């Protein structure tokens, strides 16, 4: 009998070790986009290898955002990213160095997340945004119907731009964005979305072209689409104006970000080196964190509803 128990225990330990090694060796890569309070893209589909940084036993939106800051924000996550556990679970206090009265949003694959503790998987797109004005809820997450593409110079792509809003029952609704001006690598073009939110975008510059949009019939957070055009990028910065579009190409352009945002880029550190930090990313698996904080869209909707009721 003792031998049977010993053998069972040994087998259990062996299976646990295999499972742990499989989990450790498997790579989960997601693509993180962050926009700041100036509606500027400061990270655009940045690849992030996600590990369980907060020790809650799963890979989450929080892990992805923490590591994205650790690897790309000057001073790392300690300077640019902070969370805390409150009444509703894990909440976001600082995003890209900005305190904003928790007026942030986070989305996975263009869908509203329930909270920072939502699980993510390999290949997901994680978007986070900062409301320009915490008191103004009329600001909408937006996205293109595609994330990336590649082709030769003069490649044309039809993109559709949508934005998230809410109906009378506060259910999420997707609507096309009309009249938004398309930008490429931060420069305005003559391409404008139509009533269906669609625009035909032409690419002339080799290299990485980051497409976004601004303006339109509603206020939107900047969407992102990345087009890789074959050929060698220009060695110097040049601006060309035609009757169809204005583009700027540089060899150093890797995202449609402002110059100030790019200065915050820092050398990557390993995820393992950050696992000892508990100040900015508390262990969400602890008993105090019972419920995930709802996403910005739902929180904004609830706050807006409450404000309307109070005004009556």
């Amino acid at each position: 009998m003792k031998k049977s128990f010993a053998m069972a225990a040994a087998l259990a330990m062996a299976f646990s070790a295999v499972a742990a090694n499989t989990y450790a060796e498997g790579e989960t890569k997601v693509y993180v986009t962050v926009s700041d309070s100036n509606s500027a893209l400061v990270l655009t589909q940045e690849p992030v290898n996600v590990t369980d940084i907060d020790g809650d036993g799963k890979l989450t939106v929080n892990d992805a955002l923490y590591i994205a800051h650790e690897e790309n924000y000057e001073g790392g996550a300690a300077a640019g990213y902070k969370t805390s556990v409150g009444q509703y679970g894990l909440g976001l206090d600082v995003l890209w160095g900005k305190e904003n009265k928790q007026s942030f949003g986070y989305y996975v694959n263009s869908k509203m997340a329930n909270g920072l503790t939502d699980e993510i998987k390999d290949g997901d797109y994680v978007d986070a945004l900062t409301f320009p004005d915490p008191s103004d809820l009329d600001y909408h997450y937006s996205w293109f119907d595609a994330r990336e593409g590649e082709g030769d110079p003069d490649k044309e792509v039809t993109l559709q731009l949508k934005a998230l809003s809410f109906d009378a029952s506060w259910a999420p609704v997707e609507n096309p964005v009309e009249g938004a001006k398309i930008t490429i690598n931060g420069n305005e073009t003559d391409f404008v979305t139509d009533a269906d939110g669609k625009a035909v975008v032409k690419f002339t510059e080799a290299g990485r072209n980051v497409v976004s949009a601004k303006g339109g019939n509603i206020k939107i957070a900047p969407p992102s689409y990345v087009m890789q055009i074959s050929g060698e990028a220009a060695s110097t910065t040049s601006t060309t104006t035609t009757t169809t579009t204005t583009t700027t190409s540089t060899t150093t352009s890797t995202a449609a970000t402002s110059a100030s945002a790019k200065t915050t880029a820092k050398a990557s550190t390993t995820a393992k080196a950050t696992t000892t930090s508990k100040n900015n990313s508390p262990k969400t698996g602890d008993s105090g964190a019972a419920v995930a904080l709802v996403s910005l869209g739902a929180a904004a909707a609830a706050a807006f509803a409450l404000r309307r009721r109070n005004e009556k």
Side-chain angles (χ1 to χ4, degrees), residues 69-250:
H69 281 74
E70 186 68 22
E71 295 180 347
N72 296 280
Y73 190 83
E74 185 177 4
Y81 183 76
K82 288 183 175 62
T83 61
S84 62
V85 178
Q87 180 181 0
Y88 300 105
L90 188 65
L92 184 56
D93 299 321
V94 177
L95 179 70
W96 209 253
K98 174 76 172 181
E99 286 189 26
N100 207 44
K101 299 181 179 178
Q102 292 193 328
S103 293
F104 307 103
Y106 19 92
Y107 307 81
V108 179
N109 298 331
S110 304
K111 300 295 182 183
M112 187 171 58
N114 291 317
L116 290 174
T117 55
D118 277 16
E119 291 191 59
I120 55 177
K121 62 184 184 303
D122 187 60
D124 280 349
Y125 291 88
V126 177
D127 302 329
L129 63 88
T130 305
F131 266 41
D133 181 357
S135 65
D136 182 6
L137 302 178
D138 187 23
Y139 187 68
H140 303 262
Y141 169 69
S142 71
W143 68 97
F144 292 114
D145 61 344
R147 285 284 184 168
E148 59 184 348
E150 58 183 17
D152 298 323
D154 295 329
K155 170 85 171 180
E156 289 187 346
V157 174
T158 299
L159 297 175
Q160 184 180 31
L161 178 61
K162 294 182 179 181
L164 182 68
S165 60
F166 299 90
D167 63 16
S169 301
W170 301 108
V173 177
E174 300 177 0
N175 293 311
V177 181
E178 181 180 4
K181 181 164 288 190
I182 300 297
T183 66
I184 299 179
N185 293 332
N187 301 290
E188 289 189 11
T189 71
D190 291 335
F191 308 128
V192 179
T193 58
D194 62 18
D196 294 322
K198 294 181 178 180
V200 178
V201 183
K202 184 176 182 179
F203 299 89
T204 59
E205 300 292 339
R208 190 173 190 257
N209 290 264
V210 175
V211 179
S212 190
K214 60 182 181 178
N217 57 339
I218 57 175
K219 289 183 284 188
I220 58 172
S224 66
Y225 171 86
V226 176
M227 170 62 74
Q228 188 70 38
I229 295 297
S230 61
E232 196 170 326
S235 58
T236 58
T237 302
S238 62
T239 301
T240 304
T241 302
T242 68
T243 57
T244 57
T245 183
T246 303
T247 60
T248 299
S249 65
T250 69

Side-chain angles (χ1 to χ4, degrees), residues 230-311:
S230 61
E232 196 170 326
S235 58
T236 58
T237 302
S238 62
T239 301
T240 304
T241 302
T242 68
T243 57
T244 57
T245 183
T246 303
T247 60
T248 299
S249 65
T250 69
T251 56
T252 58
S253 176
T254 59
T257 61
S258 61
S260 60
K262 293 304 291 179
T263 61
T264 61
K266 63 184 286 289
S268 297
T269 59
T270 62
K272 182 179 291 185
T274 66
T275 56
T276 57
S277 175
K278 298 180 182 178
N279 295 331
N280 295 349
S281 185
K283 286 184 176 295
T284 58
D286 291 347
S287 58
V291 185
L293 179 69
V294 295
S295 66
L296 175 64
F304 185 58
L306 179 61
R307 187 175 68 185
R308 292 190 63 182
R309 286 199 299 270
N310 292 337
E311 289 175 349

